[in-house]
Amino acid sequence: MGRLDGKVALVTGAGRGIGKAGALLFAREGARVVVAEIDAALGEETVAAIKQTGDDAVFIRADVSQARDMERAVATAVKTYGKLDILYNNAARIQSPAFIENITEEEWDRILAINLKSVWLGMKYAIPEMLRIGGGVIVNTGSKGGERGMRNLGAYCASKGGIHALTRVTAMELAKKNIRVNALCPGIIATEMVATSPPEEIATFSANIPQGRLGKPEEVAYAALFLASDESSHITGQLLVIDGGILINDPQMIRPQDSK
Amino acid sequence: MGRLENKIAIITGAGDGLGQASAVMFAKEGASVAVVDMDPVRGMKTVDMIKNQNGEAMFVEVDISKEDSVKYMVEKVVDAYGRIDILVNSAGIFIEATAINTTVEDWDKIMAVNLRGIFLGCKYVIPEMIKAGKGSIVNIGSEAGITGWENATAYAASKGGVVNMTRCLALDFAKYKIRANCVCPGTTETSMVKKAIDMAPDPKVARRFFESRPLLRLGRPEEIAAGILYLASDESLYATGAILSIDGGRTAGGFNA
């Protein structure tokens, strides 16, 4: 008896990292999964991995910042599996680090579109399908950057803080319609996104995290599973923090380049 | 394979409400449960419920506001089960009063049970978790611990203390692979809440007030227990210091009209 038996889930950015771990775990727990990913090779790999264990998945190429692609991703779920129960908005990009006044307009628009607009687009197209079947669950991916400042990541933090606010509003609007909306708030997780940080910074991360290590993608995936399943039926509009203790420690990582 | 296979869990206040629902759920997931309560009749009922589903449980009669009683609790459980993997601090009391209507005796009583009781449990269980090399503590706070409630000053103050104490526990003991997280229920169908409704001047109005949250209903004990289970289990190994509200959306932002 899987914890998502009979459910159909759409997972964005499921080609690698946290999204891939989420897609695999959801499928293992009985969901049929639509793998939405901008990189076709990675997306097909995730589908193959799911099918290898006898579970069910289908790939759709999607640039989550494009309305057309998100509409198509939702339509793929309905066309292939007849409905959509779970939307897991995971896809995101980290910005090129820059002080606020040095962020280019192109970079601001790119990060806000891929990270924040995508979440709204996913919900915009998923909600009518969920209303049609009388209920559903939305899991968004926020970040510790949405709750605390991170120097040189202003656009990224704005996009993630926006996701937290959007989650609360959507939860309130849909509460009476049996659709729950919550957000994950991961800390620093061992993914390719984090590996793009400067090496001298990565070395300092663990020392500043109370648990002394980065998180594993599977650990975020299990949090997503809890929020996506009926077990969290009385939870809506909330942030679930999985961060090894960063938010309660507020480590002051002062770097040499911070003194301008 | 249950989600708490081979785990040893202490659950305080397990004779009723959230504690009882958690104890039953934990046992179903493979844990051996020490059912802790002040009331032996209710405590033994929980043990019977667990044994009727072929689970493992023992009852320990404890007053968590008393240091000696908490020490006795830890000795009994370690004697019987060898170690402690999980501590769920669920025992708590509620008194309805504003600041000027709260007697000093009631203030002290609330603090002794709700806040000091959790401190004492942690004080004596954590050394056992350090010996075992790991552990998971789930403290039951409240919506009243993170936002304002009318007529509940001492209760809210005690729960606010529980919330922030949880963060400090998480910080101090992370290096021992011990986690501490906090579940903040809203209003749940328990005898504590039923009593508050029944004793209100107008119970219908009181019930509607308690149900005023986006999901428009009270929570069920099993719904709170499901969150406690997630935080107690190894699925949440990277979560520590987290405050999880299971409140039908109240703290997402106000009431639905």
Side-chain angles (χ1 to χ4, degrees):
Chain A
M1 258 294 280
R3 291 160 70 184
L4 295 181
D5 267 351
K7 306 283 187 180
V8 175
L10 167 59
V11 183
T12 69
R16 60 185 147 185
I18 296 169
K20 181 171 183 178
L24 292 174
L25 180 59
F26 282 19
R28 202 155 68 231
E29 290 291 337
R32 288 164 292 169
V33 179
V34 175
V35 168
E37 165 61 50
I38 196 170
D39 182 322
L42 291 180
E44 293 286 12
E45 232 176 73
T46 300
V47 170
I50 288 174
K51 286 183 163 164
Q52 205 158 41
T53 49
D55 299 309
D56 201 349
V58 69
F59 167 69
I60 180 77
R61 189 187 173 281
D63 175 347
V64 295
S65 69
Q66 303 302 310
R68 214 175 29 245
D69 282 19
M70 289 309 288
E71 187 175 21
R72 204 165 46 222
V74 171
T76 300
V78 178
K79 202 171 63 207
T80 313
Y81 298 125
K83 58 169 179 162
L84 179 62
D85 297 291
I86 297 162
L87 169 65
Y88 179 11
N89 278 316
N90 161 80
R93 287 275 192 251
I94 193 79
Q95 74 175 80
S96 309
F99 287 110
I100 281 288
E101 65 273 22
N102 296 332
I103 299 175
T104 65
E105 193 171 349
E106 291 74 21
E107 182 68 350
W108 175 274
D109 287 343
R110 181 182 82 97
I111 294 302
L112 270 293
I114 294 174
N115 290 3
L116 178 57
K117 185 176 182 184
S118 65
V119 169
W120 167 65
L121 286 173
M123 297 196 297
K124 180 179 174 66
Y125 294 109
I127 287 166
E129 293 300 330
M130 292 177 176
L131 290 171
R132 195 170 55 83
I133 60 171
V137 184
I138 296 167
V139 179
N140 295 327
T141 303
S143 165
K144 88 165 186 79
E147 293 298 295
R148 298 288 194 275
M150 293 167 77
R151 283 185 198 81
N152 300 158
L153 292 175
Y156 177 80
C157 289
S159 75
K160 290 301 186 175
I163 289 172
H164 295 179
L166 190 55
T167 297
R168 288 187 280 265
V169 169
T170 313
M172 290 175 71
E173 289 182 0
L174 296 172
K176 287 202 268 204
K177 305 286 175 65
N178 196 33
I179 299 173
R180 297 184 297 106
V181 190
N182 294 290
L184 303 162
C185 189
I188 305 178
I189 312 298
T191 63
E192 286 178 40
M193 178 191 276
V194 166
T196 65
S197 307
E200 63 274 15
E201 264 189 43
I202 296 183
T204 66
F205 287 157
S206 292
N208 284 284
I209 299 172
Q211 283 198 353
R213 64 172 177 91
L214 271 52
K216 300 177 193 151
E218 293 69 35
E219 291 172 319
V220 183
Y222 267 107
L225 171 63
F226 171 67
L227 290 177
S229 79
D230 294 336
E231 297 152 27
S232 53
S233 48
H234 205 53
I235 304 177
T236 196
Q238 301 302 322
L239 299 183
L240 178 49
V241 177
I242 321 107
D243 72 347
I246 293 177
L247 279 177
I248 51 158
N249 192 28
D250 284 322
Q252 302 299 304
M253 297 187 280
I254 313 292
R255 306 158 304 180
Q257 65 265 38
D258 290 335
S259 23
K260 284 209 246 187
Chain B
M1 262 287 282
R3 291 162 66 191
L4 295 181
E5 207 65 42
N6 297 323
K7 300 283 190 185
I8 312 296
I10 295 180
I11 303 180
T12 70
D16 191 20
L18 309 183
Q20 185 178 72
S22 300
V24 170
M25 196 178 281
F26 277 33
K28 211 179 295 196
E29 292 291 340
S32 301
V33 179
V35 170
V36 168
D37 204 278
M38 265 186 76
D39 182 331
V41 172
R42 304 213 294 200
M44 280 311 299
K45 176 153 189 288
T46 303
V47 170
D48 285 342
M49 286 167 74
I50 289 173
K51 292 198 159 145
N52 283 341
Q53 52 179 47
N54 293 320
E56 168 58 47
M58 64 181 281
F59 171 67
V60 191
E61 185 175 340
V62 179
D63 177 349
I64 59 166
S65 71
K66 302 203 159 42
E67 186 175 13
D68 285 342
S69 193
V70 172
K71 281 162 100 167
Y72 167 78
M73 171 185 87
V74 174
E75 276 163 31
K76 284 284 297 195
V77 176
V78 174
D79 263 346
Y81 290 139
R83 67 176 195 279
I84 301 166
D85 297 308
I86 295 162
L87 171 64
V88 177
N89 285 306
S90 175
I93 58 173
F94 177 75
I95 292 173
E96 196 164 323
T98 66
I100 61 177
N101 296 335
T102 305
T103 64
V104 175
E105 292 74 24
D106 277 348
W107 173 276
D108 287 345
K109 181 149 187 260
I110 283 242
M111 290 301 163
V113 176
N114 291 4
L115 187 52
R116 194 178 76 199
I118 293 188
F119 153 67
L120 287 173
C122 293
K123 180 179 172 67
Y124 289 105
V125 169
I126 286 173
E128 297 300 324
M129 291 179 166
I130 292 175
K131 269 189 233 160
K134 57 182 162 64
S136 178
I137 298 167
V138 183
N139 292 330
I140 308 307
S142 169
E143 179 184 295
I146 57 178
T147 189
W149 268 21
E150 293 180 7
N151 273 321
T153 300
Y155 179 78
S158 75
K159 291 300 190 178
V162 170
V163 168
N164 217 51
M165 180 169 66
T166 305
R167 295 188 178 110
C168 296
L169 293 167
L171 262 190
D172 282 335
F173 300 105
K175 59 176 174 276
Y176 298 106
K177 295 199 156 52
I178 296 169
R179 308 182 292 113
N181 295 286
C182 187
V183 167
C184 287
T187 44
T188 313
E189 289 165 9
T190 63
S191 57
M192 190 166 92
V193 169
K194 287 199 193 96
K195 188 163 131 210
I197 291 173
D198 291 339
M199 287 177 50
D202 187 341
K204 269 215 320 257
V205 167
R207 174 165 270 272
R208 238 192 342 260
F209 176 75
F210 282 129
E211 289 172 347
S212 291
R213 48 202 63 248
L215 289 188
L216 292 176
R217 61 174 177 86
L218 301 180
R220 293 185 291 271
E222 299 70 44
E223 291 176 309
I224 318 304
I228 299 170
L229 168 62
Y230 166 71
L231 290 171
S233 80
D234 288 346
E235 292 163 19
S236 61
L237 275 178
Y238 202 58
T240 196
I243 315 298
L244 178 58
S245 285
I246 308 180
D247 65 5
R250 164 94 194 276
T251 48
F255 301 165
N256 259 13

